[in-house]
């Protein structure tokens, strides 16, 4: 049975490609999904790709990754990165290897984006590599 990984995206990532292309690029969320699924196929793993604008739904999905026996999580919580202790606690509770991904590089943007709660539970952070950052994160987890 192929190993399963969860790729979880938070607030506003469904809007990719529709606004602020200078920050987030021109590719839309369906391209992101397709890219992640193609990468999973070539890495020989299974992925569940999920997006929600609601913090509690993201917590539910992190818990589900654990309950379904996933081997790791790739997560871009969107702006919840900078605010959500609930997401941090959920990731910590799963004890699953987790990679934090950001399409942009939040550390070179506004000060309020410099704090990341989820980073405290993440093994690795990939920032500023666009959608390719998700592939990098999945490859890291799959090759562990
Ligand atoms: O760079 C990232 O991936 C972020 O997690 C994206 C978040 C932002 O709040 C974080 O600081 C960094 C924003 C999600 C995307 O928001 C969009 C809004 C309008 C159009 C396109 C994307």
């Amino acid at each position: 049975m192929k190993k399963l990984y969860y790729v979880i995206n938070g607030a506003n990532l469904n809007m990719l490609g529709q606004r602020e292309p200078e920050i987030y690029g021109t590719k839309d969320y369906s391209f992101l999904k397709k890219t992640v699924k193609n990468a999973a196929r070539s890495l020989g793993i299974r992925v569940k790709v999920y997006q929600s604008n609601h913090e509690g739904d993201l917590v539910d999905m992190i818990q589900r990754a654990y309950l379904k026996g996933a081997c790791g999580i790739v997560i871009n919580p969107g702006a919840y990165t900078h605010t959500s202790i609930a997401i941090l606690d959920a990731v910590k509770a799963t004890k699953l290897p987790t990679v934090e991904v950001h399409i942009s590089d939040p550390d070179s943007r506004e000060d309020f984006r410099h704090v990341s709660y989820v980073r405290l539970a993440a093994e690795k952070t990939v920032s500023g590599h666009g959608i390719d950052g998700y592939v990098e994160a999945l490859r890291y987890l799959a090759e562990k």
Side-chain angles (χ1 to χ4, degrees), residues 11-13 15-16 19-20 24 76 78-79 82 102-104 113:
N12 291 310
L13 283 150
M15 298 286 284
L16 269 186
R19 301 264 163 79
E20 304 185 277
Y24 301 113
N76 180 353
H82 318 301
H102 297 289
I103 292 169
S104 68
R113 295 186 203 273

Side-chain angles (χ1 to χ4, degrees), residues 95-139:
K95 291 195 162 76
L96 290 173
T98 296
V99 181
E100 171 192 22
V101 171
H102 297 289
I103 292 169
S104 68
D105 177 15
D107 289 336
S108 59
R109 297 177 63 193
E110 303 95 323
D111 285 353
F112 62 82
R113 295 186 203 273
H114 296 181
V115 171
S116 167
Y117 286 98
V118 76
R119 189 164 307 175
L120 300 171
E123 264 191 39
K124 181 180 165 76
T125 296
V126 180
S127 287
H129 296 180
I131 287 173
D132 288 346
Y134 289 84
V135 177
E136 220 178 290
L138 265 185
R139 187 177 305 120

Side-chain angles (χ1 to χ4, degrees), residues 40-53:
R41 196 171 314 119
S42 62
L43 289 165
I45 59 173
R46 286 183 298 143
V47 276
K48 165 84 184 164
V49 188
Y50 179 77
Q51 190 275 330
S52 174
N53 293 322

